[in-house]
Amino acid sequence: MSERYTDLRQKEVVNLCDGKRLGCICDVIVDVSCGKIEAIVVPGQCGITSIFKGGKDIIVPWNKICKFGEDVILVDVSGLGLRKG
């Protein structure tokens, strides 16, 4: 299976553990030495409360991606503490 980055950006990222919608992919992290994607980046919460919380991006490691669906990407971020960048 192969997909373009522009197609991935339109998919919503959903946490399998609690069904929470994390948002859509805004970026990817690539290991340029081997050309592999290390993680996807989802923007942090936006809005009034994010001003006080920082609203940092959520970094989802590639090995935490469970399934690429037609409209969503299912991830398992349990125990990660939602690493933010």
Side-chain angles (χ1 to χ4, degrees):
M1 178 182 133
S2 63
E3 285 204 46
R4 299 178 70 136
Y5 173 69
T6 53
D7 295 331
L8 287 177
R9 288 185 58 197
Q10 296 173 1
K11 295 184 182 202
E12 190 162 19
V13 179
V14 176
N15 185 4
L16 271 174
C17 299
D18 58 8
K20 183 177 178 184
R21 296 176 177 188
L22 302 177
C24 294
I25 295 175
C26 67
D27 206 352
V28 293
I29 298 173
V30 178
D31 181 343
V32 293
S33 65
C34 64
K36 291 185 179 180
I37 297 175
E38 291 184 341
I40 58 174
V41 182
V42 179
Q45 297 284 328
C46 295
I48 298 297
T49 58
S50 69
I51 294 170
F52 303 108
K53 293 181 181 176
K56 294 187 177 184
D57 294 340
I58 300 167
I59 310 296
V60 180
W62 190 257
N63 65 348
K64 294 296 183 178
I65 298 173
C66 300
K67 180 95 172 156
F68 285 91
E70 197 169 311
D71 298 323
V72 298
I73 299 172
L74 300 176
V75 299
D76 179 5
V77 291
S78 63
L80 274 187
L82 288 181
R83 196 176 105 200
K84 298 184 179 191

